[in-house]
Amino acid sequence: MGLSERQSFSADSETISEETVSGVNQGTSSENGGEGNRKEPTVNQEMLGEQDSDAGGELVPSEKEEVSESEVSLAAYRETVEKAETGIVFSLIDLDGDEIPELVAGDRGNDRYSIYTIKDGTVFCLVDSMTTAELTYFESSGIIAAFASWNGGGDEGGYGRQYYQTSGNQTLTDGDTPLLSYSYNAVYDEQGAYTGKGITEYFYMGQETDESSYNEIWKALGIAEDGGRLCLENAVVADEMLDMITLSECTQR
């Protein structure tokens, strides 16, 4: 799997119009901004949203079905697991709310993540070798988030998060523009001392925007209040995943 250069958080300034904000379905969202004290706003509204566009586009409602993994055959994933490099670990997640669990393949040594689903009976790669210190997902929303830190991270360094909408028509890589992102950088004085302050910049589709517009779109995404779950939260080695696949095949006979 190839790996492109990590995308910068910087972008040209552009304020989001009211038409753009109003075109996004309202939803529930709250998220702890990783390191430091930044925290996304908390709202209580209905959960909606699936984006289906190469560049982001509008969000459209998606159906949610909760089906046990044991009720679905995972046979199509067998070859993907068998051909994976040594040291790759795997987990099953509910990324889009349909009856098919997604397969996450993680290379913890190189901070690379790939996510697969089963489409028309064959494996489709949703995310290919995305490089990030931490990849989280928001259950049944189709949204993933990549976390990064620099200059030591925390309030006295820098950190940020990029949010992507996955799609069955497109494979995401490091080079793709996130739907939403923010970056925080600590401010130092002329003597190099930390001032106790920091600057947070906000982006929508790669274009800088104001905090208010960012928050409006954030609220529309319908992201769970727990701030997402780690994609490798319940990771297992290849042999264990193959056993799980075999079990799923047995339940289908």
Side-chain angles (χ1 to χ4, degrees), residues 209-228:
T209 186
D210 60 274
E211 182 177 5
S212 177
S213 296
Y214 177 95
N215 288 340
E216 285 298 314
I217 296 178
W218 166 264
K219 289 187 292 184
L221 289 178
I223 296 175
E225 291 185 2
D226 63 4

Side-chain angles (χ1 to χ4, degrees), residues 25-58:
N25 293 319
Q26 294 300 309
T28 301
S29 64
S30 173
E31 201 259 349
N32 191 330
E35 299 188 22
N37 298 320
R38 189 183 189 287
K39 189 174 182 181
E40 300 285 359
T42 301
V43 297
N44 292 307
Q45 299 177 8
E46 283 189 11
M47 189 170 180
L48 285 176
E50 179 181 349
Q51 180 186 9
D52 191 7
S53 169
D54 291 347
E58 297 182 355

Side-chain angles (χ1 to χ4, degrees), residues 18 21-22 51 57 66 105 120 146 152 158 161 175 179 184 210 215-216 234-235 237 247 253:
E18 293 183 5
V21 174
S22 63
Q51 180 186 9
E66 294 186 1
D120 299 326
R161 203 174 291 267
L179 178 65
Y184 165 89
D210 60 274
N215 288 340
E216 285 298 314
N234 299 305
V237 296
L247 178 61
R253 292 172 184 169

Side-chain angles (χ1 to χ4, degrees), residues 10-159:
S10 64
D12 296 329
S13 297
E14 180 175 307
T15 301
I16 300 174
S17 66
E18 293 183 5
E19 289 80 4
T20 301
V21 174
S22 63
V24 182
N25 293 319
Q26 294 300 309
T28 301
S29 64
S30 173
E31 201 259 349
N32 191 330
E35 299 188 22
N37 298 320
R38 189 183 189 287
K39 189 174 182 181
E40 300 285 359
T42 301
V43 297
N44 292 307
Q45 299 177 8
E46 283 189 11
M47 189 170 180
L48 285 176
E50 179 181 349
Q51 180 186 9
D52 191 7
S53 169
D54 291 347
E58 297 182 355
L59 299 178
V60 296
S62 61
E63 295 182 1
K64 178 179 178 181
E65 296 181 41
E66 294 186 1
V67 180
S68 171
E69 293 169 5
S70 63
E71 298 175 10
V72 178
S73 175
L74 306 175
Y77 289 141
R78 180 175 295 279
E79 184 177 2
T80 301
V81 177
E82 291 177 338
K83 290 185 175 181
E85 298 176 2
T86 302
I88 302 298
V89 295
F90 301 89
S91 65
L92 295 172
I93 64 174
D94 176 18
L95 180 58
D96 57 13
D98 66 10
E99 73 278 9
I100 303 171
E102 282 67 43
L103 175 71
V104 180
D107 180 352
R108 284 172 164 160
N110 295 301
D111 291 333
R112 290 177 181 165
Y113 295 79
S114 295
I115 303 177
Y116 305 88
T117 191
I118 299 174
K119 181 179 178 181
D120 299 326
T122 60
V123 175
F124 178 79
C125 184
L126 296 169
V127 179
D128 187 7
S129 298
M130 185 170 284
T131 306
T132 174
E134 176 184 285
L135 188 69
T136 55
Y137 74 99
F138 298 85
E139 206 165 36
S140 301
S141 70
I143 297 173
I144 59 172
F147 176 77
S149 63
W150 48 90
N151 298 333
D155 289 346
E156 296 185 28
Y159 59 87

